Amino acid sequence: MAASTRKTVELFYDVVSPYSWIAFEVMCRYRTKWNIDLKLKPFFLGGIMSGAGNKPPGLVPAKAKYMLSHDLPNLGSYYNVPIVPPANPAEVMFIKGTLMPQRFLTAVDMQRPDLVEDLSRQFWMRAWNKDKGISDVEGIRETCKDIGFPTDVMEDCLQKSKDQTVKDRLKQFTTQALDLGAFGSPIIVAHVNNKQEMIFGSDRFPILAKILQEEWMGPLTELSKAKL
């Protein structure tokens, strides 16, 4: 039985992370099933890894092989998230990175938070399905075009992405996650009884359900919005 008191759940994520894509899609599906307010909080994974002294799994050859050849395809199939690793994952994750799209997402969140969900999903679709760039202005413009993003909002947010207020907001969310104990992405934070409980990863949804006093009903693939 669902809890009567509405609870807040925050999802900290970076579109460089395919595991964050899974958590993002599942949480967006459960937003209509659980008695929660879901808050999407783009942060910068590079800052998290540096601040936590962590090492990306993609830099460990055996982990990278397992992740790309087995784990991501299996998870994508189970959760109905169309993950297709790019031809050069290291370039996407470590060379080009996602500082610019994360700043753009932050600017959009500050101006038009109603557009953040579709935009985030399309960044993942381009990078982790279509093997297309998202790390520069051209990639961002193409991403926006793919979903019919308002041109005036896009240009305004591209300009604001350079502003210190946007950079500070992205840093704020990154620091907030680090203060909670983050060491990677995604980070899910449940607010229950005036307490915060952090959950890492995209494979602990039954635990999250228990914390929220809700029912875990599986991946809810019928509610998938990540469609080709």
Side-chain angles (χ1 to χ4, degrees):
M1 181 181 296
S4 58
T5 303
R6 196 165 183 83
K7 299 176 176 69
T8 296
V9 176
E10 299 171 308
L11 175 65
F12 293 83
Y13 65 96
D14 188 320
V15 295
V16 77
S17 163
Y19 291 99
S20 294
W21 189 10
I22 294 168
F24 171 90
E25 296 296 349
V26 172
M27 291 310 305
C28 286
R29 296 168 195 174
Y30 271 87
R31 180 168 50 192
T32 66
K33 296 293 183 179
W34 288 347
N35 189 26
I36 62 171
D37 288 320
L38 177 63
K39 297 187 180 299
L40 301 176
K41 307 193 79 168
F43 69 177
F44 182 48
L45 183 53
I48 295 292
M49 302 303 282
S50 176
N54 197 5
K55 185 177 183 180
L59 294 180
V60 180
K63 286 184 179 180
K65 181 179 179 181
Y66 170 75
M67 178 179 76
L68 296 168
S69 299
H70 301 285
D71 201 34
L72 288 175
N74 287 334
L75 287 170
S77 176
Y78 178 72
Y79 287 106
N80 193 20
V81 178
I83 298 174
V84 178
N88 190 342
E91 181 182 51
V92 172
M93 292 186 287
F94 309 129
I95 299 174
K96 291 184 177 180
T98 51
L99 181 57
M100 185 172 288
Q102 290 302 110
R103 284 178 176 169
F104 183 73
L105 274 171
T106 300
V108 172
D109 187 39
M110 295 171 74
Q111 299 292 115
R112 289 286 304 274
D114 58 302
L115 300 174
V116 170
E117 179 182 338
D118 287 345
L119 178 62
S120 299
R121 181 175 292 113
Q122 193 61 27
F123 275 136
W124 273 305
M125 287 291 292
R126 281 182 63 86
W128 285 96
N129 176 275
K130 301 177 181 179
D131 197 7
K132 294 183 178 180
I134 61 172
S135 63
D136 55 19
V137 172
E138 180 182 358
I140 290 172
R141 283 201 170 105
E142 289 178 358
T143 302
C144 291
K145 182 180 178 181
D146 289 343
I147 58 173
F149 195 92
T151 303
D152 58 335
V153 178
M154 177 189 69
E155 294 299 336
D156 182 50
C157 288
L158 278 172
Q159 287 299 316
K160 284 185 167 59
S161 296
K162 305 171 187 177
D163 293 349
Q164 193 60 46
T165 53
V166 170
K167 296 177 182 178
D168 288 345
R169 168 73 172 272
L170 183 60
K171 184 178 180 180
Q172 175 192 343
F173 283 178
T174 304
T175 300
Q176 184 180 349
L178 282 170
D179 289 344
L180 289 165
F183 51 86
S185 182
I187 296 296
I188 301 172
V189 180
H191 295 255
V192 180
N193 297 326
N194 296 316
K195 295 182 181 179
Q196 298 179 126
E197 183 143 3
M198 186 196 82
I199 296 172
F200 167 74
S202 57
D203 57 353
R204 294 168 175 85
F205 298 116
I207 302 300
L208 176 63
K210 182 178 180 181
I211 292 169
L212 295 170
Q213 300 177 34
E214 295 282 356
E215 179 186 359
W216 168 246
M217 296 173 281
L220 299 180
T221 55
E222 69 276 10
L223 298 180
S224 175
K225 294 181 180 179
K227 299 176 181 178
L228 299 176

